[in-house]
Each structure stands twice: as structure tokens, then as C-alpha cells.
Amino acid sequence: MDIRDHLRTALRSALTDAGISPLPGEIALERPARREHGDWSTNVALAISKSVGRNPREIGRQLVEILSANPPAHVDAIEIAGPGFINFRLADTWLHEVLTDVITAGAEGYAAPDLGHGRTVNVEFVSANPNKPIHAGHGRGACYGDSLARLRERCGWVVTREFYLNDRGVQMQRFAESLAARKRGEEPPEDGYHGDYLVEWAAEMPDDADPFEWGYARALQSHRETLAKVGIVYDNWFSERSLLASGAIEDTLADLRSKDAVFEQDGAIWLRSTDRGDDKDRVLVKSDGDYTYLLPDIAYHRDKFRRAGHLVNVWGADHHGYVARMKAAMSMLGHDADELEVVITQLVDLMRSGEPVKMSGRSGDMISLDEIIDEVGPDAARFTYLIQSVDSRQTFDLDEVKKQAMDNPVFYVQYAHARICSIEAKAAEAGVKRVPISEVDASLLVHERETDLLRSLFELPEIVEIACTDNAPHRVSGWAREQAAALHGFYHDCYVIGEGVSAELTQARLALVEASRIGMSIALDLLGVAAPESM
RNA sequence: GGGCCCGUAGCUCAGUUGGAUAGAGCGCCGGACUUCGAAUCCGUAGGUCGCACGUUCGAGUCGUGCCGGGCUCACCA
């Protein structure tokens, strides 16, 4: 049982004995910022003081008295402090149970809270137009979206990773015209695509190929290859054209019409999105009869809702304005708009040694994600993209990220994992075999470095849960850095094998090392970063 | 002008439902290898949490108003 539930149970019982009624619904237990405040702390006396009309310190004193008369397991001391906090000082034995928990559950079972209960979720991310290579900004959305998918999978959801292809429309036409122009050795049209990549693609294209279809396939191949380089593999590449072919777009329009969600004005067909929180109504079909991008998009989301109970969209900051209209449309189609989660990722500023890298020059060229991966490596790219909250703008300095040095957290973390493996290899070499966890005397782990590691491992399940619910993989990378620091400290101060270390202590420490390896590999897997055995 | 995001140490950034003296990495300075990898570890210094008011036992966190930066406000995609 989680130590907090254990303490909560004791607190509820003490509250009852103290004559407090009704009992508070939630009892907060947290780790105090300062060690001298004990291992766990609750503000329950402060929280209820108003409703019971008593001084918080007085309530606290009474609770401490009741609890101290019959202290819960693992508890060494209970104190009242400050305005009415109740601090629990615990014996290390509570941490020793963590060791058993981790080893027993293993990499599959530990820190895998069942939040999804087998529900289906569709995570759509990147969805860059299939007419040019993926760039640095897409890279952030790519690594982020994939990590969200990994978190969901770990937390009991059934996940589909999806990429939406805008494979029709004027942009694709312009792309095809530009490619054809390059093939003829001419400059693309003014409103076409001018990047150097088109010169290369034109050179590859057979003379008799259809520029639209060939170019589309080429771009798709480029997307697949680039994303595969950072370990991202999609379950579904969804084509916009397929919506046209299947009649889904017309069906969607008819559906909206039947729900009185559209109206005609100035020869165009509009969505009454203002009825559901949007700030203006939106055109679905232009007066020239063409669809705007919105109608196929609505049809697409309608399709996704048929295939999954929950949708997550990862969109770039430049698309935040579309959230309201899409939610409005889904709501009008009878879906629960809360089941559509749209996460916005802020922009990435690509730098090189502190100097901004031009994202788009006259040629229309951008630094492609492909080049970035080739330059810094897939692990450094992923870890860097995921180290910080996507709510804030990111500076991605290529020279900093590719440095294999201390100021690069990915190496710090991976090195920690490699060191663990090195210890395990050393043990094997010395003929030391790890005994079953039931035969390990965990109570020997009393060094501060050891208990720090155990505390860190204890926190992982909660970190995973928060990261999943808040769509915040950076919580996982933050944990990995702390865990790495704890590991390096342990490595420095606590020998696992060697003179002066008893066989029993070696076994306990080997188990701790293995538990740490499990924890670290869980975190790195959620980030999609390799856990190297040596570097 | 409206909407969304951001403003925390010299730099890059954390900070779960409001909790006790606000953290980490890098950088600076000074230390530590005779056993598992020194790509490591330990220590010092560094702050009006953009500003102001409010809510309360308590605010980096919540509310309002400002200031500054980014993105966005099409019958373009």
C-alpha cells in the first residue's frame, strides 16, 4: 500500500476519535521541502479548522496525541509544527518496501497506473503537409506527441498514433506545379514552393511520372523516414482525399445541416460555430463551391470519434485559433467536446552557438528535422525537445545539444544508466549473482545516497500519472535528471562490490541498482530515448 | 483592439490540487580518484518569482488591472 494511503487511514481514524464530523474528503499528504520537517506532512488541521470552528494548532495537537498513543507502522515520531502542520517522521523501513515493489513489478508493472481502463485514444500529431520536409518545429510536436502516446499506453489506454495528410487542395496543386517546373529546369511559380529539396526531388522523378502523385509519394516517404529516425512509427496515415472518395465530407455536411448547424449567406455555406463558443461563424463551402480546409477537417474528426473514445490533437501555436471552431463543430455533431483535447506546442527557435538560424530564407528553405537529427543524434534531439514544457517557447541550440558534455542533460542521464549496467556487468564478472528479492536484507540500505534513490523511485508512479494526465512529458525528463543525480551520488559514495562491502550489503545494493535500472529504463522509454548499456 | 502562451538566479528552465526559509542544470570560484567508468562527486556565491492591488491563517501558484515578448485573428491551407 502507498505510504500516503497508510497515513491517511490513520489520520481518518484519529479524526473520528477526535470527534470531527464530517471527515474531510481529501487529506493532503506531501513531502515537506525541508528535511527537518520530517518525511511526510499534512495540512489537514489547517484545512478543517474553519469548518469545525477550532484553532488549527489545537486540532493538530489533539490529533498528534491520539496518533502517538498508537503510532502507525513505519512511523517513528509525529509532531505539530508551524501554524498547524502535522509532520510524520518515518523509519527507513517504508522506503525498503519500495525496493521490493520495484523489483517485483519490474519494468512493465512498476509506475504503470491504470488511468485509461482500456479506453481508446487517438493521438494525432505532426500532420505536416506532404509537400516539403518536416522542420524543427514539427520535431517538437513529433517527439511530444509520441511521448504522449507512450504515456497513455503505459497508463492503460489503447492508443492509435495518427498522421493526417492534407493530400488535396491548392497547396498540393502548387507543390505539383513547382515540382514540374523544376523538372523542366524552370523556376517554380511565384506562389509555389522554392526550397532546394524540390530540385533534388525533381532530379529523382522519372520523366513520365505524374508530378502530383509522385511528389506526394516522395514527400510521404520523406516524412516516414525522418520520423522513423527518432523512433516514431505511426499506426495510421489518414488521407484527406479518402474522405472525399468515401463521401464522408458530404455526409458530414448533411449531418450538420440536419442539426441546423449551418446556414447559407452570400453564396457560401457557414457553420454556426458562434452557437458553441466560437467568436465568429466559419465558412465551410466557399461561394465558388470549393470546400474550405475546415469542412474536411470536421469530417476527419468525426471519423476519428467513430474510431476512438478520446482524441488528442497536438497542434502548433499558429493553430490555436482553430480550437474553438473544431470543438464547436464536434459539439454540434453530438460529440462531447471535452473528449477532444487539443494541446498547443509553442514555437522552436533554432540557434547555432547563440546565433539564430534562419528558419525560412528567400529560397523557402528551412533546416529540416532530418538535418537536425543527423547533426545531434536522435536521443539528444528527443530529450531536448522533451526537457521543457511545451507551453513555453523553446530555444534549440544545435551546438549545445550536440555537445557530448556535462551541460548536455541527455548524456548525464544516459551515462547514469550506462554506469548502472557497468556495475551489473562488474558483478557478473566477479561471479556475484543477484539473489531473489525475498532474500535481500533491504534494511541494510541506510546511507543517505541509498534512501535518496529509494525516495526517487517511490515518486516515479506519481510522476508518470501526472505526466499522463497533464500531457506533460517534461515531468518525466525532470525525474530522469533527478534520478540520474541520485545515481551518480550513490555511485560515488557507495561501492556495490569490493573490499569492505559485505556479501549481504552487496546483495542489497545490487537490488537497489537493479531497481534504479528499472526506473530509469521506464523513464527513458517514455521519452523515447535509448537506455545504453555502455557509451 | 480580441484570443492563446510566456515573464522565477548571469544563462536555460522546473515548481501536481494555494503550504513552512522558492529549486535544478549550466556558467563562475574552490575542493575530491590507491576498489564498480572523473562524461562523475562535494562545497561557496548568486532572487523586489515583471509591477500593483485583492482573496486568507498562508500566494511563484487563485482573481482583477497594468507593463514587456511571442503566436493568432480569411469565402488561404
Side-chain angles (χ1 to χ4, degrees):
Chain A
M1 172 154 81
D2 189 310
I3 187 74
R4 280 164 299 192
D5 290 333
H6 174 65
L7 296 175
R8 279 190 193 107
T9 305
L11 278 163
R12 280 206 188 86
S13 151
L15 284 161
T16 307
D17 291 351
I20 307 279
S21 175
L23 292 179
E26 294 268 320
I27 297 178
L29 272 161
E30 55 187 30
R31 295 258 323 277
R34 303 181 62 80
R35 269 291 169 69
E36 56 264 39
H37 291 143
D39 296 285
W40 291 98
S41 171
T42 180
N43 64 353
V44 67
L46 292 159
I48 63 171
S49 80
K50 193 179 285 179
S51 66
V52 295
R54 287 171 60 189
N55 177 297
R57 267 198 82 96
E58 185 203 318
I59 303 170
R61 219 176 344 249
Q62 188 184 4
L63 291 175
V64 168
E65 201 173 299
I66 295 167
L67 286 164
S68 300
N70 192 9
H74 304 303
V75 173
D76 271 354
I78 309 164
E79 293 144 13
I80 174 111
F85 292 102
I86 297 169
N87 294 336
F88 294 89
R89 213 168 290 280
L90 269 59
D92 288 338
T93 47
W94 79 274
L95 285 168
H96 298 146
E97 290 187 355
V98 174
L99 182 66
T100 310
D101 289 348
V102 178
I103 300 279
T104 307
E108 294 77 30
Y110 192 66
D114 185 11
L115 307 176
H117 307 293
R119 289 189 65 203
T120 49
V121 58
N122 181 299
V123 183
E124 185 214 326
F125 54 108
V126 185
S127 297
N129 285 349
N131 55 26
K132 55 176 176 280
I134 288 174
H135 61 66
H138 294 133
R140 189 180 203 187
C143 296
Y144 177 70
D146 187 58
S147 191
L148 291 187
R150 287 165 186 255
L151 280 161
R152 295 272 182 172
E153 280 169 340
R154 184 158 199 96
C155 295
W157 290 81
V158 177
V159 179
T160 300
R161 289 171 175 77
E162 191 151 313
F163 193 117
Y164 180 54
L165 293 160
N166 292 107
D167 54 4
R168 54 168 289 277
V170 293
Q171 293 305 323
M172 286 303 284
Q173 291 296 345
R174 285 175 186 166
F175 164 63
E177 286 160 16
S178 302
L179 184 59
R182 286 296 189 198
K183 186 71 191 170
R184 294 190 301 268
E186 298 165 9
E187 277 295 311
E190 191 63 28
D191 59 359
Y193 290 77
H194 297 261
D196 290 341
Y197 70 94
L198 263 188
V199 179
E200 293 169 29
W201 289 4
E204 292 173 24
M205 182 167 69
D207 293 336
D208 58 347
D210 170 30
F212 190 112
E213 295 305 329
W214 188 92
Y216 173 30
R218 182 64 186 80
L220 201 48
Q221 179 198 341
S222 162
H223 286 177
R224 275 188 213 273
E225 286 174 358
T226 299
L227 290 163
K229 272 191 188 176
V230 273
I232 298 172
V233 178
Y234 282 88
D235 301 301
N236 201 18
W237 297 75
F238 194 98
S239 149
E240 181 182 353
R241 286 198 300 206
S242 74
L243 291 167
L244 199 65
S246 71
I249 294 177
E250 287 304 322
D251 285 352
T252 302
L253 188 55
D255 206 354
L256 287 167
R257 221 178 233 125
S258 75
K259 298 196 154 87
D260 196 27
V262 299
F263 64 95
E264 290 194 27
Q265 186 182 308
D266 305 328
I269 300 175
W270 298 67
L271 180 73
R272 288 184 207 282
S273 48
T274 47
D275 284 0
R276 307 286 172 111
D278 198 4
D279 52 2
K280 55 180 81 157
D281 292 325
R282 308 290 170 180
V283 172
L284 295 176
V285 184
K286 296 186 274 181
S287 50
D288 65 6
D290 275 357
Y291 303 133
T292 63
Y293 76 95
L294 184 58
L295 183 56
D297 255 20
I298 294 170
Y300 172 50
H301 282 76
R302 178 169 168 265
D303 188 88
K304 282 200 286 187
F305 261 127
R306 288 186 175 153
R307 293 181 282 125
H310 190 75
L311 309 184
V312 176
N313 289 356
V314 179
W315 284 355
D318 52 343
H319 286 71
H320 80 258
Y322 308 154
V323 177
R325 67 196 70 164
M326 186 55 67
K327 279 180 174 279
M330 289 306 106
S331 166
M332 286 186 278
L333 285 172
H335 299 292
D336 181 353
D338 289 339
E339 295 292 349
L340 169 62
E341 252 183 293
V342 185
V343 204
I344 300 298
T345 64
Q346 297 299 316
L347 301 186
V348 175
D349 294 314
L350 206 54
M351 311 280 276
R352 198 184 287 282
S353 298
E355 294 296 317
V357 175
K358 264 271 196 279
M359 288 295 286
S360 85
R362 202 158 13 95
S363 69
D365 263 348
M366 295 189 173
I367 303 288
S368 68
L369 179 58
D370 218 59
E371 293 169 80
I372 292 171
I373 298 165
D374 287 346
E375 187 165 341
V376 308
D379 288 336
R382 279 197 78 128
F383 198 89
T384 304
Y385 275 127
L386 294 174
I387 206 166
Q388 131 184 23
S389 159
V390 292
D391 284 344
S392 52
R393 197 175 170 134
Q394 178 170 42
T395 303
F396 193 116
D397 193 310
L398 289 164
D399 286 326
E400 294 296 320
V401 173
K402 98 175 129 189
K403 239 190 265 176
Q404 312 220 343
M406 291 191 294
D407 50 349
N408 192 344
V410 65
F411 288 97
Y412 183 82
V413 170
Q414 287 189 315
Y415 182 47
H417 187 269
R419 270 185 149 176
I420 299 170
C421 295
S422 159
I423 295 173
E424 296 189 333
K426 190 80 183 177
E429 198 179 295
V432 180
K433 276 189 76 171
R434 215 156 49 77
V435 301
I437 188 65
S438 56
E439 293 169 28
V440 170
D441 183 2
S443 70
L444 297 172
L445 302 175
V446 292
H447 195 285
E448 193 178 6
R449 299 296 206 177
E450 296 165 331
T451 52
D452 279 351
L453 265 177
L454 289 170
R455 271 194 194 86
S456 173
L457 286 167
F458 170 80
E459 283 168 4
L460 184 58
E462 191 179 357
I463 292 286
V464 170
E465 183 167 337
I466 291 170
C468 185
T469 0
D470 292 354
N471 298 315
H474 74 279
R475 299 299 301 263
V476 177
S477 41
W479 181 88
R481 295 172 77 174
E482 281 182 18
Q483 168 78 357
L487 269 164
H488 286 308
F490 166 79
Y491 183 90
H492 191 265
D493 290 350
C494 303
Y495 281 98
V496 175
I497 310 152
E499 291 174 37
V501 184
S502 71
E504 291 75 22
L505 186 55
T506 291
Q507 282 300 332
R509 287 181 171 167
L510 269 181
L512 180 58
V513 161
E514 173 62 7
S516 302
R517 193 191 62 72
I518 289 169
M520 190 61 98
S521 66
I522 290 170
L524 290 176
D525 181 64
L526 287 170
L527 299 169
V529 173
E533 292 183 15
S534 66
M535 294 173 69

